[in-house]
Amino acid sequence: MRGRHTADEGGGPMPVVRTNGISLGYEEYGAGEPVVMVTGTGAPGRVWRAHQVPALTAAGYRVITFDHRGFSPEGASGQPFTLDDMAADLAGLLTHVSPGPCRVVGFSLGSVVVQELLVARPELVRRAVLMATIGRADLLVRAMAAAEIDLCDSGVALPPRYAAYVQALQYLSAETLGDPDGLRGWLDVFEMTATGNSAGMRGQLGLQVIEDRRAAYRHIQCPCLVVGFADDRVVRPRLAEEVAACIPGCRYTEISGCGHFGYLEKPEPVNSAILDFFAEPDR
């Protein structure tokens, strides 16, 4: 039985779907045509609650968020998995929550998962928004992934205040870094979440180190919108723009004044871009 919550209520236990040999926890909000949200590395589905769930449900969509493998209900298994596994997980969830193709929104690693799904199972997706995505891993992406893996495997836990400072520099825009009031809130959030689910995240680290997939993406026929964030130091906008250039008919839009966490840093223009794209007639 599917659980369904409004965007402002806590709800009961997270419903679960068994797919691809694992159990995925997911939640539904609102009513209407389904939109499935796919998070980035190490992030649980609840990150969409603050801004995207309210905007999409208010526009009349049924929003489905979920936790990637490695999180509850099963937790980290220690078994390695691939992007293809994550795309197959997503395929199983889509067939569970929607009788036909539906709209999908991805962010960072989640966008790459969606792109691989569009190659393998194009019939499942009606429209896709790909935020902060890549079609190939350049030297900086590879260096970042290797460094994160080394840190995770070392067992060293950074002091929360230091971890918060590093994350602020890595993920936020110069505009936010220069705003003392706004920055204080971000530092508090980063400090509180500094000891997150590192075991669940470990399996995802390195999956963004993909070979050049742009040739494969040229066969994608689903209407797509790629969203880049102007101050993104993790996925520089030119990498996202490359993906838009190789998907037939894909559009690219860039949101100013935000870094890698643009969907949280500047939610209004991001939400407007998503909603405008979803409201367009299918081609």
Side-chain angles (χ1 to χ4, degrees), residues 8 23 26 38 43 68 70 75-76 98 104 109 120 126 136 142 144 176 178 181 190 220 223 227-229 239 265 283:
D8 58 355
S23 295
Y26 71 97
V38 190
H68 289 296
S98 177
V104 180
L109 176 62
R126 181 176 174 183
R136 62 182 179 92
R142 292 175 185 274
M144 178 186 64
T176 298
D181 293 333
F190 287 147
I220 293 174
V227 179
F229 303 131
L239 293 176
E265 201 176 357
R283 61 184 186 222

Side-chain angles (χ1 to χ4, degrees), residues 4-79:
R4 187 165 299 170
H5 314 306
T6 62
D8 58 355
E9 66 183 342
M14 179 179 286
V16 173
V17 56
R18 187 73 182 172
T19 179
N20 197 29
I22 63 165
S23 295
L24 290 180
Y26 71 97
E27 291 187 293
E28 298 187 43
Y29 305 83
E33 296 185 26
V35 177
V36 175
M37 315 291 290
V38 190
T39 61
T41 304
R46 65 176 178 270
V47 299
W48 301 109
R49 290 181 189 172
H51 302 293
Q52 282 67 50
V53 166
L56 286 162
T57 54
Y61 292 103
R62 174 167 62 100
V63 182
I64 298 98
T65 67
F66 72 102
D67 292 344
H68 289 296
R69 59 168 63 210
F71 288 80
S72 297
E74 291 189 335
S77 68
Q79 296 298 314

Side-chain angles (χ1 to χ4, degrees), residues 96-234:
H96 180 73
V97 300
S98 177
C102 66
R103 297 170 172 86
V104 180
V105 177
F107 165 70
S108 197
L109 176 62
S111 291
V112 181
V113 172
V114 174
Q115 286 156 201
E116 294 303 316
L117 179 71
L118 292 174
V119 172
R121 298 288 306 276
E123 76 279 4
L124 297 179
V125 183
R126 181 176 174 183
R127 283 179 170 262
V129 176
L130 309 165
M131 296 190 288
T133 191
I134 60 173
R136 62 182 179 92
D138 67 358
L139 179 60
L140 187 58
V141 169
R142 292 175 185 274
M144 178 186 64
E148 289 177 337
I149 289 170
D150 285 350
L151 177 60
C152 188
D153 290 349
S154 73
V156 173
L158 296 176
R161 281 191 297 182
Y162 182 76
Y165 161 72
V166 171
Q167 289 185 76
L169 291 179
Q170 186 176 15
Y171 296 127
L172 301 178
S173 67
E175 181 178 317
T176 298
L177 294 175
D179 174 12
D181 293 333
L183 179 59
R184 171 48 55 195
W186 278 101
L187 289 172
D188 289 343
V189 170
F190 287 147
E191 187 171 341
M192 286 187 295
T193 58
T195 56
N197 182 10
S198 59
M201 182 175 70
R202 177 59 181 88
Q204 298 175 29
L205 291 178
L207 292 184
Q208 70 269 42
V209 181
I210 60 173
E211 300 305 319
D212 194 333
R213 294 287 291 159
R214 288 175 292 176
Y217 297 161
R218 295 186 193 283
H219 299 287
I220 293 174
Q221 296 300 313
C222 173
C224 293
L225 171 69
V226 170
V227 179
F229 303 131
D231 293 341
D232 193 340
R233 299 177 184 87
V234 176

